[in-house]
Amino acid sequence: MKLSQKLTAKTKLNQTLRSWLPILQVASDELKETLEPFIEKNPFVQLEPNPKSRSLNFYSDIYKTSISDTIESSIIYKESLYEKLSSQIDDKLFPSKKSKEIANLIIECINSEGYFEWDDGIFIGFSKDEVERVRARFAYLEPVGVGAVDYKESFIFQLDELCDNDEIYELCVEIIQNFENISKFTKRKNYEAAMSLLKKFKNPPAIEYMDNEMLVIPDIFVYDSDGGIEVAINDEFYPNIHIDIEGIDEKSEFVSSKIKEAKDLIDALEMRKSTLHKIGLMIIEYQYDYFFGGDIKPMKLKDIAEDLGRNPSTISRAIQNKYLSSKRGIVPLKNFFAAAAAEEVSNAAIKEFLLNLIKNENRAKPLSDEAILAKIEDEFNIKLVRRTITKYRKMLNIASSSERKKLYAIQG
């Protein structure tokens, strides 16, 4: 009997989760918009603004840099990269329901620089060929170049939009595909015109949106408390759902079904809060040292999923477009989930170190993969092989040292 009750409860929970998965997945500032279609179909439910104002004062007391300032700054509307892209997923380029669904999943996998990063946990039920066919249409979206896998493909996307001269177009394609041997094109006809055009390209493609990252709204707050740290959910953007059935016959099949839908909706919101809170607690447990100045340590989605009794794909969706705020700043939740490069070092920490090396390198003499390897081994006291550095560099859409030298020359 007990086993049967547990299975029934688990089945109900899974059904609710599947039914309201968009509520789990969506960013906090889009919650109200996501809930409205459900509310419109239910005559017994009203969506009321969250009257909480105390949470802003509460959190402003926690931090010297007030979280209320972060939220207040978000009121000054500035369209994000993801809003810009989402607004363009229409019937013109994505006529079918399936193509729209894939396009929206692709947007989830576009990083802050505008490059696409494949995620197995996102494209469940779709083949790579299906995704690639839809991603190809991102060449026609704005900002031009977003959705490409690397800077070369981004340049091709931008070239399609900005060049209407066939001869210059063909030469630009050759140059883009052969940046490492750019010198062989200097005597070609239209070389100057091609280079003048290439200098206008954006790299990274979403560069004008990158300054907006601090306007994101944290979903989880981690703060110091009596010598330790605690986690709290930012429920400022969670609207209240009010069920009004006064004077209504609840025994009616229609009414009872709508009441059940409303209660499922409330359960889904609570499930979202509960799941994010548990993820926050797990992050504290796994990444305790990070909140006191240490590096992010290896942490896998499947470990959290097992502890929470969830599927890894569910956790992957739960952390998409979500952010954690602590005294170390605001960071995407996905930054805490990284495979191990060594027992006590995550590849996220290594990638961050690699990025800083590239940002501060001598442009006249860019660092080779061997030089980067030596610096990383010295910094983290670990042993790696050069191909690992090459893999990380490519994952970060960073060109080779010779290609970067050519790019620096183009940028002046």
Side-chain angles (χ1 to χ4, degrees):
M1 177 65 76
K2 288 183 178 180
L3 178 60
S4 176
Q5 290 174 341
K6 286 182 180 179
L7 289 174
T8 301
K10 185 175 181 180
T11 301
K12 179 182 177 182
L13 187 65
N14 288 339
Q15 287 174 344
T16 303
L17 183 61
R18 285 195 298 270
S19 299
W20 307 104
L21 193 57
I23 296 171
L24 177 65
Q25 183 173 315
V26 73
S28 291
D29 57 346
E30 298 172 352
L31 258 179
K32 183 175 181 293
E33 182 181 346
T34 303
L35 292 171
E36 282 175 348
F38 298 118
I39 301 300
E40 290 172 358
K41 297 176 183 178
N42 197 322
F44 308 112
V45 178
Q46 294 178 347
L47 208 58
E48 299 175 347
N50 190 331
K52 291 183 181 179
S53 57
R54 66 172 186 83
S55 61
L56 296 182
N57 296 327
F58 172 68
Y59 290 117
S60 65
D61 291 338
I62 294 174
Y63 298 125
K64 291 182 180 179
T65 303
S66 173
I67 289 174
S68 64
D69 291 342
T70 302
I71 297 177
E72 185 177 344
S73 69
S74 300
I75 297 171
I76 304 173
Y77 179 74
K78 197 170 183 181
E79 188 178 44
S80 71
L81 170 64
Y82 304 100
E83 289 173 320
K84 178 69 174 178
L85 292 173
S86 295
S87 68
Q88 299 173 77
I89 308 303
D90 54 26
D91 292 338
K92 185 178 179 180
L93 283 173
F94 309 97
S96 68
K97 180 180 179 181
K98 184 177 184 179
S99 64
K100 285 187 179 70
E101 184 178 357
I102 293 175
N104 283 306
L105 292 176
I106 289 172
I107 290 174
E108 288 184 33
C109 295
I110 291 178
N111 64 28
S112 60
E113 293 185 333
Y115 293 113
F116 172 75
E117 298 176 343
W118 178 271
D119 186 336
D120 288 325
I122 294 295
F123 297 104
I124 297 173
F126 300 109
S127 69
K128 285 196 174 184
D129 286 342
E130 288 176 317
V131 174
E132 284 301 299
R133 282 196 295 271
V134 174
R135 190 179 67 82
R137 304 174 206 174
F138 274 61
Y140 303 100
L141 301 186
E142 295 180 353
V144 183
V146 167
V149 295
D150 56 27
Y151 78 92
K152 287 188 177 183
E153 187 179 39
S154 175
F155 280 8
I156 296 295
F157 282 7
Q158 295 177 61
L159 184 64
D160 289 337
E161 178 73 16
L162 300 176
C163 184
D164 56 8
N165 182 298
D166 290 343
E167 290 185 1
I168 294 176
Y169 179 93
E170 291 175 4
L171 179 57
C172 283
V173 171
E174 287 188 65
I175 293 173
I176 291 169
Q177 292 175 342
N178 296 276
F179 268 127
E180 61 275 13
N181 296 310
I182 199 170
S183 58
K184 73 179 183 180
F185 298 100
T186 56
K187 295 182 180 179
R188 291 275 295 273
K189 179 185 176 183
N190 296 319
Y191 172 76
E192 294 298 332
M195 293 303 293
S196 177
L197 182 61
L198 290 174
K199 289 180 181 180
K200 297 178 182 178
F201 290 175
K202 293 176 294 183
N203 184 37
I207 190 168
E208 70 264 41
Y209 289 90
M210 292 176 69
D211 290 337
N212 293 349
E213 289 185 328
M214 290 312 295
L215 296 180
V216 298
I217 297 168
D219 299 88
I220 299 173
F221 295 120
V222 173
Y223 57 93
D224 294 344
S225 176
D226 297 327
I229 51 178
E230 293 189 20
V231 62
I233 295 299
N234 177 15
D235 58 3
E236 180 72 15
F237 291 85
Y238 285 73
N240 290 331
I241 298 174
H242 176 65
I243 303 176
D244 185 6
I245 52 174
E246 186 175 353
I248 304 295
D249 180 11
E250 296 183 42
K251 296 179 180 180
S252 163
E253 184 177 346
F254 173 78
V255 174
S256 62
S257 67
K258 290 301 178 182
I259 292 174
K260 182 182 183 303
E261 287 179 8
K263 290 181 177 179
D264 282 346
L265 190 60
I266 294 171
D267 287 345
L269 276 177
E270 291 304 315
M271 187 183 300
R272 173 193 165 103
K273 291 182 185 179
S274 175
T275 301
L276 286 174
H277 188 260
K278 289 176 182 177
I279 288 174
L281 291 173
M282 297 301 295
I283 287 174
I284 288 178
E285 181 178 342
Y286 278 78
Q287 309 288 355
Y288 190 85
D289 291 342
Y290 165 80
F291 297 101
F292 293 96
D295 293 322
I296 293 176
K297 294 182 179 180
M299 184 176 181
K300 296 180 180 179
L301 276 175
K302 69 175 184 178
D303 294 332
I304 296 295
E306 288 174 1
D307 287 341
L308 297 183
R310 293 280 189 271
N311 189 288
S313 63
T314 300
I315 302 301
S316 177
R317 288 175 181 269
I319 67 174
Q320 288 298 318
N321 304 314
K322 309 293 193 309
Y323 297 82
L324 179 148
S325 177
S326 72
K327 61 186 179 183
R328 294 197 64 179
I330 299 175
V331 296
L333 289 187
K334 67 179 183 179
N335 282 14
F336 292 100
F337 297 87
E343 186 176 351
E344 292 297 328
V345 181
S346 75
N347 63 13
I350 293 176
K351 287 178 186 176
E352 183 179 358
F353 184 75
L354 192 158
L355 276 171
N356 287 328
L357 286 177
I358 300 300
K359 287 178 182 177
N360 297 294
E361 71 180 349
N362 182 347
R363 290 190 164 207
K365 192 176 180 181
L367 294 166
S368 65
D369 287 354
E370 288 83 358
I372 294 172
L373 173 63
K375 290 180 179 293
I376 286 176
E377 289 184 337
D378 183 61
E379 173 70 17
F380 295 99
N381 192 28
I382 58 174
K383 295 299 294 182
L384 298 174
V385 294
R386 185 187 58 78
R387 64 176 176 271
T388 300
I389 303 304
T390 303
K391 180 182 74 172
Y392 288 167
R393 177 173 55 73
K394 289 181 177 179
M395 289 172 67
L396 293 166
N397 297 302
I398 297 173
S400 67
S401 57
S402 60
E403 290 173 333
R404 296 200 304 279
K405 188 171 183 179
K406 303 301 181 184
L407 284 170
Y408 292 148
I410 291 174
Q411 294 169 356

